[in-house]
Structures are given as structure tokens and as C-alpha cells.
């Protein structure tokens, strides 16, 4: 029961956090573009993508089996779950039209790949630093014996 409760809390918190930030970004875009209105249907679609993103995140990063495989495995699973739905929602929201222009696809996949590479670099740097700290502590422990 506690696992389900924690899952639902994580889903709630993730959805609220991501939807709030999307609303802030949407307001900024609306102000910069001079638009004054947003349809309720568009907001519902934003909410749906936030719920799916939070569910995907919860599945990939709060699942013990997947978590044991490492951060990059979790991130890859998240990308596999989230990006196809994100593309579908972008079409449904009208952000991508038809087949999409080559420029739009290049920008979209460039952002996805760059963020993946940045995550890989950060993960490697953190894991290298942790490995150095653990090695140092192990050496200190062995020298005390």
C-alpha cells in the first residue's frame, strides 16, 4: 500500500511541477508573441503530456529494477517511453504540422540529442568523482588496519 501511495505522490508532484513550469513558459511565449488567449483544449493537452511525462519518469527512475541498471539505462527507457508520445502530442497541439519541416525536426532532435549527451557527461563526471571518493575512503580504511 505504501508503494502505491508513494507512486501516486510522485506522480502528483511531478505533474504539478512540470505543468507549473510549462504554464510559466507558455505565459512568457504568449507575452513575447503578443497572443492573449489559449484554448482550454490546448491546456488539457499540455496537462496530458505532463501526466505522461511524470508517469514515464516514475516508471523509469523510481522503479528498483530499472534503477539497478543505472542512470543512463533509466534515461534511455524514459526517452523511449516519452519522446514518441511527446511527438504525437506536438502534432495534436499543432506544433508540428503535416510531416513537419526539416528545420523543425532538426531542432527537435538536436535538443533531444544534446540533452542526452549533457546527461551522459554529467553522469560520467559524477560517477567518476564518486568512484574516486570511494577509492580514497577504501584506501584510508585499509591503511588503518
Amino acid at each position: 500500500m505504501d508503494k502505491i501511495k508513494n507512486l501516486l505522490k510522485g506522480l502528483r508532484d511531478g505533474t504539478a511541477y512540470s505543468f507549473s513550469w510549462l504554464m510559466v513558459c507558455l505565459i512568457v511565449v504568449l507575452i513575447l508573441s503578443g497572443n492573449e488567449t489559449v484554448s482550454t483544449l490546448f491546456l488539457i493537452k499540455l496537462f496530458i503530456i505532463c501526466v505522461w511525462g511524470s508517469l514515464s519518469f516514475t516508471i523509469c527512475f523510481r522503479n528498483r529494477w530499472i534503477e539497478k541498471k543505472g542512470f543512463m539505462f533509466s534515461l534511455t527507457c524514459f526517452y523511449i517511453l516519452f519522446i514518441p508520445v511527446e511527438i504525437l502530442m506536438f502534432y495534436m497541439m499543432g506544433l508540428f504540422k503535416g510531416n513537419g519541416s526539416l528545420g523543425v525536426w532538426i531542432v527537435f532532435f538536436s535538443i533531444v540529442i544534446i540533452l542526452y549527451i549533457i546527461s551522459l557527461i554529467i553522469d560520467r563526471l559524477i560517477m567518476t568523482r564518486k568512484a574516486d571518493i570511494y577509492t580514497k575512503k577504501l584506501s584510508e580504511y585499509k591503511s588503518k588496519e
Side-chain angles (χ1 to χ4, degrees), residues 22-136:
L22 269 177
M23 292 287 62
V24 169
C25 294
L26 179 62
I27 290 168
V28 169
V29 168
L30 289 174
I31 290 170
L32 293 175
S33 67
N35 290 334
E36 295 180 3
T37 61
V38 175
S39 72
T40 305
L41 185 59
F42 187 83
L43 293 176
I44 291 169
K45 290 174 184 176
L46 274 181
F47 184 73
I48 290 169
I49 199 168
C50 289
V51 170
W52 178 251
S54 298
L55 183 62
S56 299
F57 180 87
T58 301
I59 290 169
C60 296
F61 289 97
R62 295 188 177 181
N63 179 319
R64 289 184 189 191
W65 182 81
I66 292 177
E67 199 174 86
K68 287 179 184 178
K69 304 276 186 184
F71 174 77
M72 291 311 298
F73 183 80
S74 296
L75 184 65
T76 303
C77 288
F78 176 77
Y79 270 44
I80 290 168
L81 280 175
F82 184 70
I83 289 176
V85 174
E86 181 181 29
I87 291 169
L88 176 66
M89 290 302 293
F90 282 177
Y91 272 109
M92 291 173 65
M93 296 163 110
L95 299 175
F96 289 168
K97 293 179 175 40
N99 291 334
S101 68
L102 181 60
V104 170
W105 284 109
I106 289 172
V107 169
F108 178 77
F109 282 111
S110 295
I111 291 170
V112 168
I113 291 168
I114 287 169
L115 290 175
Y116 190 84
I117 291 170
I118 289 171
S119 298
L120 174 66
I121 291 168
I122 290 171
D123 181 58
R124 291 295 145 216
L125 291 174
I126 289 172
M127 295 309 285
T128 301
R129 186 176 300 138
K130 280 185 179 180
D132 291 342
I133 290 169
Y134 291 148
T135 301
K136 181 180 175 186

